[in-house]
Amino acid sequence: MSLIASAAELISRSRYAVAVCGAGVSAESGIDTFRDPGGVWDRLDPMMVGTPDGLVNALNTHGKLLKRFFSGLLKTLETAQPNPGHLALAALEEKGMLGTVITQNIDNLHQEAGSQHVLDVHGNLFAFECLGCHHHQKFDRAAVLPAMRATLDTMTQFDLNAAKQLLPVCDRCNAPMRPDVVMFGESVKKLPEAFSAVGQCDLLMVLGTSGTVYPVAGFPSTAKQSGAKIVVINPMEDAFSHLSDLYLPLKTGEALPAILELL
Ligand code: OAD
């Protein structure tokens, strides 16, 4: 039996399947992963931009570099669309064959593909938290990106104050709002729901993640201990080879639609 057919059979037999996703799932939408060659952490030091204090400091010391990074990120987000992998996951959910998507990705593409039950444990780039009154508000991609682009393009100098001007303003207290994303050292979101899904599932699909960052990297072993089967889809590596029941060395944008076609 082919790997695709074996994966389809495991999904069709499962009572409650959960997908755990990483940056690889969005790679075919044109969004860079973190740790592949040429990825985000090849170009930037995670301690410089991945922690709140580091970022504040870097905005004042490495303004040019960060303006280039934000401008590139904006360009990517302006064009990124859900890819066939995202769409296949949404279709599996619609068919009742996938219960929950737990994603480390902050790009909102699972939701835009139509997935309803998404736990975005590292936050969401289009959800904002007011720095003044802590009010939370989700914005539409189309409402946020053009305004940021217009402001960024007029800036000749980039530092902390300039970066604040890129942020939307709270409609309750007028303070700037920060993207509600998890930086290193901050609490992962929706963790009780994620652990509950991982503990209850009988099939965990581990998709496009290097399995480097905890607690998500620990989900496959938690699920395995509760008796779940583990399917890994990743063209470059099976970071969970000691746990996986089935490994597909394929891109998720290719493997997931092919699996869906058999179901
Ligand atoms: P990584 O960049 O660490 O890993 C991406 C994985 O995707 C690698 O294992 C690649 O082999 C795989 N990959 C690449 N292209 C793929 C494709 N088309 N289909 C399937 N897989 C593909 O990204 P994550 O594991 O998501 O956290 O990283 C986890 C966390 O580290 C991120 O959420 C971020 C980062 O620091 C925070 O910023 C808090």
Side-chain angles (χ1 to χ4, degrees):
M1 197 190 292
S2 75
L3 293 173
I4 295 289
S6 302
E9 189 171 318
L10 282 173
I11 293 173
S12 69
R13 279 202 204 147
S14 107
R15 170 186 47 78
Y16 177 36
V18 168
V20 172
C21 300
V25 174
S26 289
E28 289 154 272
S29 296
I31 299 178
D32 288 336
T33 63
F34 293 92
R35 295 176 184 81
D36 287 309
V40 176
W41 296 151
D42 247 8
R43 285 173 279 135
L44 291 170
D45 176 354
M47 287 306 114
M48 182 168 100
V49 296
T51 65
D53 287 350
L55 182 59
V56 165
N57 190 37
L59 279 164
N60 287 324
T61 55
H62 292 76
K64 253 190 186 165
L65 174 73
L66 286 186
K67 186 177 179 198
R68 236 188 358 259
F69 172 68
F70 284 131
S71 184
L73 180 63
L74 264 185
K75 195 168 168 199
T76 302
L77 293 170
E78 279 158 5
T79 51
Q81 298 285 331
N83 68 50
H86 295 110
L87 296 168
L89 290 173
L92 284 174
E93 183 184 337
E94 172 123 48
K95 277 174 171 285
M97 293 181 154
L98 177 65
T100 302
V101 171
I102 300 171
T103 188
Q104 298 166 91
N105 300 340
I106 58 176
D107 52 34
N108 203 48
L109 291 178
H110 287 292
Q111 292 89 335
E112 288 171 41
S115 287
Q116 301 289 317
H117 198 211
V118 180
L119 300 174
D120 34 15
V121 291
H122 288 177
N124 188 300
L125 263 179
F126 302 101
F128 287 81
E129 180 183 354
C130 175
L131 292 169
C133 70
H134 301 289
H135 168 59
H136 288 258
Q137 194 176 340
K138 193 149 184 200
F139 289 88
D140 202 50
R141 175 184 296 262
V144 171
L145 298 181
M148 282 186 179
R149 165 64 61 201
T151 311
L152 187 68
D153 283 352
T154 60
M155 287 174 174
T156 47
Q157 198 185 328
F158 197 64
D159 55 16
L160 180 59
N161 280 331
K164 278 189 188 156
Q165 289 171 42
L166 294 177
L167 300 174
V169 168
C170 177
D171 58 10
R172 297 196 178 169
C173 76
N174 231 23
M177 303 185 88
R178 68 161 262 186
D180 199 5
V181 297
V182 175
M183 302 185 85
F184 289 110
E186 294 186 317
S187 302
V188 170
K189 296 175 184 296
K190 304 175 187 173
L191 208 47
E193 296 99 309
F195 268 116
S196 161
V198 168
Q200 286 177 42
C201 72
D202 59 356
L203 176 67
L204 192 73
M205 292 192 272
V206 184
L207 309 174
T209 179
S210 63
T212 321
V213 174
Y214 284 81
V216 173
F219 287 172
S221 68
T222 304
K224 187 81 180 180
Q225 278 162 23
S226 314
K229 297 264 188 228
I230 311 292
V231 174
V232 176
I233 307 180
N234 190 320
M236 304 299 286
E237 58 183 317
D238 177 4
F240 302 97
S241 53
H242 55 299
L243 298 170
S244 58
D245 297 282
L246 183 66
Y247 169 50
L248 283 68
L250 296 167
K251 295 180 175 181
T252 42
E254 293 167 1
L256 291 169
I259 293 168
L260 177 68
E261 232 178 80
L262 298 182
L263 290 167

